[in-house]
């Protein structure tokens, strides 16, 4: 973590501020992507504040591990193995949650992934999968759970997006999905302005240590521009920012310095594009992007080991 990030993180997670984080006792919180990575960290953080956590993901084994860790720390949690890109499965999950738990008070949308690929590298199927796992899954979950929230006129919706919604980059499908999530959050905030339902969009910088997102989307970490790793959060810092945003009923949460950069985007976008492109060497001869300044996506290391074995020990090694 760079010195700038450390200072900002200390400012916003000081002891004085931590004492005022809200109490979620009795709240029912649903977290998508709760079987691993950021979703698991968020689930554990909300459970530590007293929430009854409902974790959702495709893999039952990963969900069981999250539930076990929460139970071991004295929290309450249940798991629902669901393919969130399946509309019928999401509706069935919502009905089951209504029968078992009477609905939810907090929805945190942290599911979805996607590799950083150029237009030539992105197949039509992969583009559709990224949009489904990022945007459509979020829409399906909100749509299936919003009814009871509107009836009780209370609730919190947290959408975990990406700063690549504004950062100039070539990752065509992932960036488009990030824009869609940002637009969804803005539209929901307008749509629900006369209710007591909070909509909060979280735009985190890269998370360090690297989460399973980078394991499931190999090569992505290497394609981030070097300057981007100067703005990092740990999973614990992300959870602290989310909790503080819920307490303050914030509509937008991001790295403080990235918030300052957003208004400057029209000015800095071209230099960032140039810097990003020069970071990526040309592919090997015969590749689909031979001669273009892009770093290839490697699914395995040179000796055949899984990419996860070669994750760097420091962001400055990327």
């Amino acid at each position: 973590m760079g010195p700038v990030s450390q200072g900002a993180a200390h400012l916003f997670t000081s002891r004085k501020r931590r004492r005022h984080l809200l109490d979620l006792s009795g709240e029912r919180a649903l977290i998508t992507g709760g079987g691993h990575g950021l979703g698991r960290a968020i689930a554990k953080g909300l459970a530590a504040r007293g929430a009854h956590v409902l974790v959702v993901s495709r893999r039952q084994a990963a969900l069981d591990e999250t539930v076990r860790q929460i139970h071991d720390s004295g929290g309450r949690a249940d798991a629902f193995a669901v393919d969130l890109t399946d509309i019928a499965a999401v509706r069935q999950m919502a009905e089951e949650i209504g029968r078992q738990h009477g609905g939810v008070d907090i929805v945190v949308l942290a599911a979805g992934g996607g590799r950083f690929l150029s237009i030539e590298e992105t197949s039509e199927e992969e583009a559709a999968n990224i949009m489904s796992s990022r945007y459509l899954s979020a829409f399906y979950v909100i749509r299936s759970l919003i009814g009871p929230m509107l009836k009780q006129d209370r609730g919190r919706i947290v959408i975990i997006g990406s700063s690549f919604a504004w950062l100039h980059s070539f990752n065509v499908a992932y960036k488009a999905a990030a824009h869609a999530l940002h637009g969804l959050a803005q539209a929901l905030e307008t749509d629900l302005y006369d209710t007591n339902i909070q909509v909060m969009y979280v735009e985190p910088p890269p998370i360090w240590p690297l989460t399973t997102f980078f394991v499931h989307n190999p090569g992505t970490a290497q394609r981030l521009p070097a300057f981007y790793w100067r703005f990092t959060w740990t999973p614990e810092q992300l959870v602290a920012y989310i909790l503080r945003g819920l307490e303050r009923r914030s509509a937008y949460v991001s790295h403080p310095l990235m918030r300052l950069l957003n208004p400057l985007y029209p000015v800095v976008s071209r230099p960032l594009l140039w810097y990003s492109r020069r970071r990526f060497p040309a592919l090997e001869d015969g590749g689909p992007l031979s001669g273009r300044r892009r770093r290839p996506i490697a699914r395995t290391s040179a000796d055949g080991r899984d990419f996860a074995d070669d994750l760097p020990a420091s962001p400055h090694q990327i």
Side-chain angles (χ1 to χ4, degrees):
M1 182 186 300
V4 174
S5 295
Q6 289 179 334
H10 176 74
L11 174 64
F12 288 99
T13 57
S14 65
R15 182 176 301 176
K16 180 178 178 180
R17 291 183 182 273
R18 285 199 300 266
R19 286 201 299 264
H20 298 286
L21 289 173
L22 79 168
D23 180 12
L24 297 177
S25 298
E27 300 279 316
R28 299 154 298 179
L30 181 142
I31 298 94
T32 67
H36 51 77
L38 294 185
R40 175 177 291 173
I42 295 169
K44 293 168 67 175
L46 296 182
R49 293 290 169 179
H52 183 174
V53 170
L54 311 176
V55 288
V56 181
S57 184
R58 294 185 183 184
R59 301 175 180 86
Q60 186 66 54
L63 290 172
D64 291 341
E65 177 60 21
T66 300
V67 170
R68 184 194 65 77
Q69 292 183 19
I70 292 174
H71 286 170
D72 289 348
S73 61
R76 294 184 298 164
D78 290 294
F80 294 85
V82 180
D83 178 2
L84 295 177
T85 65
D86 184 335
I87 301 175
V90 173
R91 289 173 178 165
Q92 183 178 356
M93 175 197 71
E95 293 174 358
E96 188 173 351
I97 289 175
R99 289 193 299 268
Q100 294 184 15
H101 304 282
V104 296
D105 305 291
I106 303 171
V107 177
V108 181
L109 302 161
R115 297 187 294 163
F116 284 21
L117 302 175
S118 68
I119 186 65
E120 298 100 318
E121 296 170 307
T122 307
S123 67
E124 295 86 343
E125 294 78 13
E126 181 150 14
N129 289 337
I130 292 174
M131 190 61 72
S132 295
S133 65
R134 294 284 289 171
Y135 166 70
L136 289 178
S137 66
F139 178 85
Y140 295 159
V141 171
I142 294 171
R143 181 63 182 85
S144 66
L145 297 174
I146 195 65
M149 285 186 172
L150 289 171
K151 287 183 180 180
Q152 64 186 14
D153 193 28
R154 62 184 295 267
R156 309 171 191 267
I157 299 172
V158 181
I159 299 176
I160 309 296
S162 170
S163 51
F164 272 90
W166 65 268
L167 185 67
H168 210 141
S169 61
F170 67 84
N171 44 314
V172 289
Y174 186 88
K175 182 178 176 68
H179 267 291
L181 282 177
H182 193 185
L184 176 62
Q186 290 179 324
L188 281 173
E189 185 183 5
T190 302
D191 188 20
L192 303 174
Y193 80 98
D194 58 349
T195 72
N196 289 316
I197 299 175
Q198 175 192 4
V199 179
M200 184 171 73
Y201 179 70
V202 182
E203 197 173 70
I207 303 299
W208 192 268
L210 291 177
T211 64
T212 52
F213 170 85
F214 294 101
V215 177
H216 296 157
N217 299 278
T220 297
Q222 284 79 356
R223 283 194 163 185
L224 290 178
F227 76 91
Y228 202 53
W229 294 102
R230 300 294 177 179
F231 306 92
T232 58
W233 284 348
T234 65
E236 293 75 19
Q237 286 170 344
L238 172 62
V239 173
Y241 272 88
I242 291 174
L243 289 170
R244 189 165 61 91
L246 290 174
E247 180 186 35
R248 298 182 176 185
R249 298 191 69 82
S250 302
Y252 176 71
V253 172
S254 183
H255 192 290
L257 294 181
M258 284 189 167
R259 297 189 67 164
L260 295 177
L261 286 175
N262 280 347
L264 300 176
Y265 175 73
V267 177
V268 303
S269 61
R270 302 306 294 184
L272 289 179
L273 174 63
W274 170 82
Y275 185 80
S276 298
R277 288 176 67 90
R278 69 183 289 268
R279 282 275 297 167
F280 305 134
L283 298 187
E284 298 294 333
D285 291 340
L289 298 181
S290 181
R292 297 185 60 181
R293 300 180 66 85
R294 300 282 170 77
R295 179 173 294 177
I297 290 290
R299 291 174 176 79
T300 59
S301 59
D303 58 1
R305 294 185 301 157
D306 187 84
F307 177 81
D309 298 332
D310 297 314
L311 290 177
S314 162
H316 307 300
Q317 296 178 13
I318 292 179

